[in-house]
Amino acid sequence: MSRRNPRRSELVLCLAAVAIVVVAAVAMASATGGGLGSLRWSLVVFAGLALLAHLAVRVFAPQADPVLLPCVVLLNGLGLVLIDRLDRAAAALAASQGDPVPSSDAARQLIWTAAGIALFALILVLVKNHAQPAKYAYTCGLVGLVALLMPAVLPSSISEVNGGKSWIRFHGFSIQPGEFAKVLLLIFTAGFLVANRDLFSTAGKKMLWFTVPRLRDLGPLLLVTFVSVIVLVYEKNLGFSLLVFGTVLAMVYIATQRASWLVIGIGMFAVGAVIAYNLFAHVRVRVQVWEDPFASYYTNGFQIAQGLFGLGTGGLWGAGLGGGRPQEVPFANTDFIISTIGEELGLFGLTAVIVLFTIITLRGFSAAMTTRDSFGKLLGGGLAFSIGWQLFVVVGGVTKLIPLTGLTTPFMSYGGSSLLANYVIIALLIRISHDARSAPAPAPPPVAPIAEAMTEHIARPPS
């Protein structure tokens, strides 16, 4: 990539990403036999949105990493194609049963994509320097905490969807405030750790090979643990508990580089999870389904079992876009879009998607490590880790590596709140990358003139 003109490289990669999405859409439409139809215009709109996102980066962050945005464009576009494929399956099923054809989720996802890219551009315009959010770190923390806990205290008629209390629903409109709380809490954590970095790094008692922090220094981590367990218990949202707690713990480790924080944090979360398992039935159900989904195949284990069947059906190469039956998995366009990818694109296709997320995560870490201030390093590291960690939690749940969490795959799953929040994360990473790349190189230390240099007389030793 050219360091002199990274935007040219970004434009070429964005065009390549759009081309791959178009090829995927044509292959899917050909396999389903319905033709492109309205998807043709959706592809045109999506290409225009990708170009607008590129222009926003070109104008407001011209030195940013040229790889981040193309990876996001490709993931977002493939998600649109897969959601449209599931829409066609739902329409065919409704027609065969004489039911009305359901509305298109792909069309709504395209609208959310437009809103996400608009928010992406707005963040680039408003956040002129990546250190700017540090001024509002504590405000972000308070707002994020309120947003995260709000669904827990609202009536179930407003906040509960599919058994989980993590939404706020109005007339025909719903939002998941926890998605935005995630970003706000990361800004707060970065600001707090920068302000107290020395305290976290040096204070404590030496025990064996660990430095154990003082009890009063554990306050922030205790608060995050408490909030995570509250979300797990009252909102029935295991995924968000893992996401928020894991990301904050990673940021603490990045700030202190002390393994004791990792051990203590994981231990605290494990104790809280064990207590929740013994006190609350829905937590036990999640664990029991994870242990053996086929024992309750016709009830609680049906979703994960069908997802595993889909992944097995896909094999290495997949059934081809439009050639599988991913619609047999409940919520195949949201929680289980990874299963849809595995069935139709196979292990190789799923691996390619994971590689794209890995590139985003690594390039985000690279931008964070390149910037010279501590806040940028922590915020960038936390944002990049959150994307990689969320993908791990999602794939781990679908493949039965860990209990099913209910998280969605960033940029690919259907859902407006997740898409908007993740575009904010990418905008902040691009801002951090631009600032790191455009910062002037540190000046070399001044060299004293030869006349002022210190001299020393060395005598020849006697022979």
Side-chain angles (χ1 to χ4, degrees):
M1 300 297 175
S2 172
R3 290 295 299 271
R4 294 183 178 180
N5 191 1
R7 300 284 67 77
R8 183 183 303 170
S9 302
E10 180 183 83
L11 178 59
V12 171
L13 291 174
C14 281
L15 292 175
V18 171
I20 293 173
V21 171
V22 171
V23 171
V26 171
M28 182 273 296
S30 176
T32 55
L36 282 175
S38 61
L39 184 58
R40 178 183 295 106
W41 296 108
S42 296
L43 292 172
V44 172
V45 173
F46 178 74
L49 292 173
L51 179 60
L52 289 175
H54 163 72
L55 291 175
V57 179
R58 179 178 286 270
V59 173
F60 300 108
Q63 296 302 317
D65 190 312
V67 177
L68 285 171
L69 182 60
C71 289
V72 170
V73 168
L74 182 53
L75 291 170
N76 196 168
L78 290 176
L80 283 169
V81 172
L82 292 170
I83 293 170
D84 186 83
R85 184 262 177 277
L86 293 166
D87 283 346
R88 294 172 184 237
L93 178 62
S96 67
Q97 296 178 346
D99 298 329
V101 176
S103 58
S104 172
D105 287 337
R108 285 194 290 267
Q109 186 75 348
L110 184 63
I111 295 173
W112 283 118
T113 299
I117 289 177
L119 185 58
F120 168 86
L122 183 63
I123 294 296
L124 290 178
V125 172
L126 295 180
V127 183
K128 301 182 183 302
N129 185 288
H130 70 267
Q132 191 175 331
K135 302 176 183 178
Y136 312 100
Y138 287 88
T139 302
C140 289
L142 179 61
V143 175
L145 195 60
V146 171
L148 184 61
L149 296 178
M150 189 181 298
V153 300
L154 290 175
S156 297
S157 59
I158 299 175
S159 62
E160 186 170 335
V161 175
N162 298 321
K165 285 173 60 67
S166 57
W167 296 83
I168 297 178
R169 297 187 299 161
F170 299 101
H171 300 286
F173 176 79
S174 60
I175 188 172
Q176 198 169 12
E179 292 287 351
F180 304 97
K182 169 182 65 179
V183 182
L184 295 172
L185 289 174
L186 293 186
I187 293 174
F188 161 74
T189 303
F192 179 85
L193 289 175
V194 167
N196 300 275
R197 187 171 185 173
D198 293 338
L199 184 66
F200 279 84
S201 301
T202 58
K205 295 181 179 180
K206 194 75 175 178
M207 294 181 62
L208 299 178
W209 57 90
F210 286 122
T211 302
V212 180
R214 297 174 301 184
L215 183 60
R216 63 176 179 271
D217 298 335
L218 287 172
L221 198 55
L222 286 170
L223 178 62
V224 172
T225 305
F226 176 74
V227 170
S228 300
V229 174
I230 288 294
V231 170
L232 168 63
V233 170
Y234 290 102
E235 297 186 7
K236 302 180 181 179
N237 197 337
L238 173 62
F240 227 84
S241 297
L242 286 174
L243 179 62
V244 172
F245 184 81
T247 305
V248 170
L249 187 59
M251 293 176 71
V252 172
Y253 177 72
I254 292 172
T256 62
Q257 297 190 6
R258 284 168 54 175
S260 56
W261 283 104
L262 288 178
V263 174
I264 292 171
I266 294 172
M268 287 164 45
F269 187 82
V271 170
V274 169
I275 293 173
Y277 174 85
N278 286 283
L279 291 181
F280 300 98
H282 66 268
V283 178
R284 289 195 295 274
V285 168
R286 282 290 182 95
V287 175
Q288 289 163 3
V289 169
W290 166 59
E291 291 176 338
D292 186 4
F294 299 100
S296 55
Y297 176 78
Y298 294 102
T299 53
N300 296 317
F302 181 77
Q303 184 184 33
I304 182 65
Q306 288 295 104
L308 293 173
F309 287 147
L311 291 173
T313 301
L316 291 177
W317 297 100
L321 282 169
R325 297 178 60 85
Q327 67 273 15
E328 300 293 333
V329 183
F331 304 106
N333 62 348
T334 53
D335 300 3
F336 270 70
I337 201 165
I338 289 294
S339 173
T340 303
I341 297 169
E343 181 171 351
E344 304 227 315
L345 298 180
L347 177 62
F348 291 140
L350 181 56
T351 301
V353 168
I354 293 174
V355 167
L356 286 173
F357 279 106
T358 304
I359 292 172
I360 294 175
T361 303
L362 292 178
R363 302 293 285 213
F365 274 124
S366 176
M369 294 301 103
T370 307
T371 190
R372 294 185 177 89
D373 64 292
S374 298
F375 179 79
K377 291 182 185 297
L378 285 174
L379 180 60
L383 294 172
F385 180 84
S386 70
I387 292 178
W389 178 239
Q390 182 166 345
L391 181 71
F392 170 79
V393 172
V394 171
V395 175
V398 172
T399 58
K400 213 175 80 64
L401 177 65
I402 61 175
L404 189 62
T405 60
L407 283 180
T408 56
T409 305
F411 303 110
M412 301 193 77
S413 294
Y414 171 72
S417 299
S418 174
L419 196 59
L420 291 176
N422 283 297
Y423 265 112
V424 171
I425 289 176
I426 294 299
L428 291 173
L429 284 175
I430 284 179
R431 171 57 64 202
I432 292 171
S433 174
H434 166 78
D435 292 349
R437 288 167 168 245
S438 59
V447 179
I450 189 65
E452 300 177 8
M454 297 180 62
T455 59
E456 182 179 355
H457 176 72
I458 301 177
R460 181 188 295 273
S463 57

